[in-house]
Amino acid sequence: MFDKRTPLQRADVFIWTGEDGLHIWDRRREQEKLISFDTGWKVPYVPRFHVLWEEPKHYQEELRRALGRGKKRVLLAVPDDATFIERTALEDFICASLGRRLKRRGLTICSHSVSLGKPTGQYIAATRTCRCYCVALVTDGVVTDSQLLDAHRSERGALEREIYDFREEAGEPGLKVYYPETEEDWTLMGLGKNVSFVRMATMDQPKKKTAAKTS
């Protein structure tokens, strides 16, 4: 029977591949965890998540410990500027870490931009990595157009121009802009509405007044 649920609704775990680490939300336990990328170095244009392959055993064990026992279905959000090789390597990392703990066809990958809004409707996503700012037009859960800007050379005005152009393209001068709170910097701040990690992970659920538990 066809499953009409969205990838987020089907997921037991939501993982955001951030600049500082893997942000994990256990949807069953309603618990947030962070696996930090323990590296003291920063190389321009080289994502810190590359450390996952430099110390694979350490981070695989960290992920298994964070997710606990039982079979899982995982939704993994990766940066918009991730290369095909990086996306494949991240997929392999999750599969190698969890093995039989992954349910059948239990790993779905989406971009950061798609994670920022609901699967229906239209919005503009603005995201950041060590390499790029990405401004994307998202329609019904799919990136329909996007622009990558050099993170080390682009000023705020460049992002504002891309946002203006996408609003013109969509015919919506007031089209909402979302950006991730986890990657917020002075360039993104105030461009639109910042979206917390917990909000991304629970977007399909009614809002609760209780604060998220962090460990």
Side-chain angles (χ1 to χ4, degrees):
M1 186 176 180
F2 181 71
D3 191 344
K4 295 183 180 180
R5 295 177 299 169
T6 67
L8 182 58
Q9 290 171 336
R10 291 194 296 269
D12 304 304
V13 176
F14 175 67
I15 301 177
W16 171 278
T17 310
E19 190 64 23
D20 59 341
L22 296 176
H23 297 258
I24 300 169
W25 180 260
D26 187 321
R27 286 165 57 85
R28 292 177 176 177
R29 299 178 182 177
E30 296 188 333
Q31 188 176 53
E32 180 183 357
K33 296 184 179 182
L34 172 65
I35 299 177
S36 298
F37 297 142
D38 299 323
T39 172
W41 51 263
K42 283 190 177 182
V43 179
Y45 301 104
V46 178
R48 294 179 70 192
F49 64 73
H50 282 203
V51 75
L52 294 173
W53 308 304
E54 294 181 0
E55 301 178 55
K57 291 184 179 180
H58 167 72
Y59 287 102
Q60 287 172 9
E61 182 57 35
E62 285 288 302
L63 184 59
R64 285 192 288 268
R65 186 180 299 114
L67 298 190
R69 296 182 180 278
K71 288 185 175 292
K72 313 287 184 183
R73 184 174 283 111
V74 175
L75 176 60
L76 175 67
V78 302
D80 289 78
D81 67 347
T83 64
F84 174 78
I85 292 174
E86 288 172 337
R87 288 174 68 98
T88 302
L90 285 166
E91 179 180 1
D92 290 345
F93 169 77
I94 298 294
C95 292
S97 300
L98 300 183
R100 293 183 179 180
R101 297 187 192 184
L102 268 180
K103 291 181 179 178
R104 184 171 177 268
R105 298 178 182 175
L107 176 60
T108 302
I109 298 177
C110 67
S111 69
H112 280 179
S113 290
V114 169
S115 302
L116 288 171
K118 293 185 177 181
T120 57
Q122 193 172 50
Y123 62 90
I124 295 171
T127 61
R128 177 187 67 86
T129 70
C130 69
R131 295 184 293 220
C132 299
Y133 288 103
C134 176
V135 182
L137 180 64
V138 183
T139 306
D140 294 332
V142 177
V143 174
T144 54
D145 201 353
S146 65
Q147 288 292 332
L148 296 177
L149 306 172
D150 191 318
H152 299 268
R153 299 180 181 181
S154 300
E155 298 181 351
R156 182 184 178 89
L159 275 73
E160 291 174 334
R161 287 191 292 273
E162 295 297 340
I163 290 171
Y164 175 84
D165 287 345
F166 282 142
R167 282 173 168 166
E168 287 284 296
E169 179 181 328
E172 293 285 346
L175 191 60
K176 291 183 178 180
V177 178
Y178 299 123
Y179 64 88
E181 187 177 81
T182 58
E183 317 301 327
E184 185 177 54
D185 66 1
W186 288 106
T187 301
L188 290 177
M189 191 178 295
L191 282 178
K193 180 179 180 181
N194 65 349
V195 182
S196 71
F197 170 67
V198 174
R199 176 60 182 152
M200 284 186 275
T202 60
M203 197 168 293
D204 61 319
Q205 301 172 350
K207 292 183 179 180
K208 295 184 178 182
K209 296 182 180 180
T210 55
K213 298 176 285 184
T214 304
S215 63

